[in-house]
Structure formats: structure tokens, C-alpha cells
Amino acid sequence: MPYDIDPRLLRAFLAVAEELHFTRAAARLYVAQQALSRDIRRLERELGAALFVRTTRQVALTAEGARLLPLARRVSAAHDELAVAFRAAPERPLLVDVGVPIGTAHGVLEAARDRVPDSCELVARFHSGLTGAAAKVAAGRLDVSFGRIAALPPEVRAGLDHQPVRLEPMAVLLREDHPLAARPVVALAELAGETLYAAAGNPQTAEWTDLAERLFAGRGIATAEPFPEIEGKQEFIRVVRKRGWSVLASVEFIEVPGMVLRPLVDPVPLSPVSLVWRRGLRHPGLDALRAAARELARRHAWLALPDSAWWLPEADAEAMGVRG
């Protein structure tokens, strides 16, 4: 058994083992698929064991691959910890937009903070949407944000990089006395004739309004008329309750007194969430965010598709590496 295995080969193995898909693993590592395949073959030669069973339709771990997986994770984590421990302290904190202090982005931020030394500061910002945050990221006034990358204009995307984090199921926020509120889930067809608030009129969240309009098209669901940007949780709760809106949301959402959150089904609409940063940015905080996002996605199957029928626009599916 060799004792000087290149950590790059273990990272290649982990990417394929966690994605079970060579194309997605190569995209995750920003390498060509041929280079990734060469690294896997080299690692198999060095270990003297086949690690994957490959067919034209799927990739699976062999028994030896499954035995290597926890060992490779420990080695990779130790290597990352070593790199962070002896890296020069960053000149400034990393500014991270998480939208609201709940949900996917906030969870990734909290997990990343556990991965960095005290000298590395991750400072939260609370912008209301990726459309508004992305311009600040591209201009260097913000470092990292989260959201629907496919909806950004090409000229904005050209200055950004992203990493898929989650295909987040969508939900509807209903008044407690709404006829559908007693249901554990709500089928999209049952919302025909309803009008839902989807942040129309807020230029900062144009990507969310666009996703809603695509979802509602042909289903008889209307988008609430444009309304000025609502800032802050308390103001959102006040306005929503006063106007009696039903609200398009994600399955992780703030609590609104007098309202209930119900997952949408038939099909399950998916909200694509990516980690987004300025192209060329180098910072140990970004490394920690990306590692935390990968770990949470693996642990909670955030990038797995629902077993039942699902919905996602084609451009978003491509950006998120979804096949099928």
C-alpha cells in the first residue's frame, strides 16, 4: 500500500463518489472529464483496487470504493485543515449575502464558520435577492451571495462563478382560514384561480418573480400586482397579513402568525440555489463556504431530485447540472 498518495487523487475520488456521475464531478472540480478519469485510474493503480463500477447508464462504488470513502474524507478534511491553519490571515472579512437569517444560505454560512479559524471572519449581509446582490458581487462591494444564477443577465454572469447547492422544494404560505390550509400538501392544480404574491415590483428579487411567472403559466395562477420592496421580517409580516396575500415561498421560510406553510406537489416545483461569487476571488472563507455547501448537500441530499414528478425550467436545470 503506497503512503504518498497525491491529495488531488483523493479529491477526484471523493467528487465521483459523492456525485456518482463523472460529468458532474468534473464540473465540481473545474477539470476536464478526461483528466478526472485519468486521476481515478491512477488512484486505482496505486491502490491496486477497482473503486467504481462504470456502465453507460450509471456509476457505483465497489466494495473497495466504499471502504475507501470514509478514509478519503478524513484525509481530505485534515489536508484542508492544514492548509487553512498555515495560510496567511486574510486582509479583510468576507462579505456574504444570505438574504434572511433562515434557510439554505444561512445554514451554509453557519457551517462554514465552524471550518475557519478566528482570524477568518465571515460577515453576513441581508439583501433581498440575487438580482440585486449580483451587481454588488460583480462590482466588488459584496463577495458571495446565493440564488438562482440562470436568471441573471449574461453580462452579469460573465463576471461570476457559481456552485450548485440545493434544489429547494417550493411551498405556499396560506392564511389559516384558507380552504387549502388544512391539507398537508397542496397540488399546483388546486391553486388555479388564486393570486399569489411573488415579490413583483421588487427589482432586487426579479429572479424569484420570473421563476414564479414561469411556474404559474398555463396553470391559471395569477401573480399579485407589483408592490414596493418590503424590507425586514416584521414589515413583510405586517404587509402580508394586512393585504391577505397567499405567498409563493420555499419549504424553509419565516414564521408568519396566522398563516401556514404547505409544500407544493404534482409536480414538485424546485427553486435552484447556487453559491455565487466574483470570478477570480481567492479567500479561505470562500473555500470554507464551498466545502460546507458540498457537505450539507451530500448529507441532506439537497441536489437529489424528488421521487415524484418535479418542475424546473430548462435553463436552471442546465445551470444546476440536472439530467433527466
Side-chain angles (χ1 to χ4, degrees), residues 15-313:
V16 178
E18 291 171 359
E19 299 288 347
L20 292 179
H21 194 287
F22 272 73
T23 301
R24 288 198 295 268
R28 168 172 150 178
L29 296 172
Y30 295 97
V31 300
Q33 186 174 336
Q34 295 87 342
L36 177 62
S37 296
R38 284 196 301 270
D39 283 346
I40 295 299
R41 288 195 297 270
R42 178 182 163 189
L43 180 61
E44 289 176 325
R45 286 195 303 271
E46 292 190 11
L47 295 176
L51 302 175
F52 297 98
V53 177
R54 309 168 180 83
T55 70
T56 56
R57 304 186 67 175
Q58 66 177 8
V59 177
L61 283 166
T62 63
E64 290 297 276
R67 188 160 69 96
L68 175 62
L69 185 56
L71 301 173
R73 282 180 176 149
R74 290 204 295 271
V75 172
S76 181
H79 190 265
D80 291 344
E81 185 178 352
L82 176 65
V84 169
F86 287 88
R87 182 179 289 151
E91 295 182 357
R92 60 173 181 81
L94 194 74
L95 303 182
V96 185
D97 163 40
V98 295
V100 293
I102 188 174
T104 300
H106 189 259
V108 171
L109 175 62
E110 289 300 303
R113 283 172 169 162
D114 291 338
R115 290 174 170 264
V116 295
D118 291 340
S119 61
C120 181
E121 190 66 65
L122 303 179
V123 179
R125 290 288 186 270
F126 301 96
H127 293 274
S128 61
L130 182 61
T131 302
K136 296 180 176 65
V137 172
R141 297 193 298 274
L142 187 68
D143 295 309
V144 177
S145 189
F146 292 80
R148 183 184 169 220
I149 187 77
L152 297 179
E155 63 273 17
V156 175
R157 286 189 65 178
L160 304 173
D161 274 327
H162 83 106
Q163 174 180 313
V165 175
R166 186 175 184 182
L167 297 169
E168 193 168 59
M170 296 165 73
V172 61
L173 189 68
L174 302 167
R175 299 181 310 279
E176 287 180 340
D177 61 354
H178 192 286
L180 298 174
R183 308 282 182 87
V185 297
V186 173
L188 276 169
E190 294 177 304
L191 292 175
E194 296 275 345
T195 298
L196 271 64
Y197 174 70
N202 180 0
Q204 307 296 316
T205 57
E207 77 284 352
W208 179 253
T209 306
D210 175 75
L211 187 66
E213 290 173 345
R214 291 171 183 268
L215 176 63
F216 297 166
R219 291 188 165 92
I221 308 171
T223 304
E225 290 297 318
F227 191 85
E229 179 181 355
I230 304 172
E231 294 190 9
K233 174 181 175 180
Q234 295 306 318
E235 187 67 1
F236 176 84
I237 291 173
R238 185 193 68 80
V239 173
V240 167
R241 294 185 64 184
K242 180 178 179 180
R243 301 185 72 87
W245 282 332
S246 296
V247 179
L248 184 68
S250 61
V251 291
E252 293 187 42
F253 201 70
I254 62 172
E255 290 188 15
V256 179
M259 303 189 75
V260 295
L261 190 67
R262 296 292 181 256
L264 291 170
V265 295
D266 298 330
V268 176
L270 300 172
S271 171
V273 180
S274 285
L275 175 69
V276 181
W277 65 93
R278 186 172 58 261
R279 183 159 292 171
L281 176 65
R282 298 290 183 269
H283 195 291
L286 174 60
D287 298 339
L289 286 165
R290 297 188 65 192
R294 284 194 297 269
E295 172 59 23
L296 289 172
R298 182 195 65 79
R299 186 190 311 163
H300 300 296
W302 275 355
L303 292 171
L305 293 167
D307 294 332
S308 56
W310 50 273
W311 174 92
L312 186 68

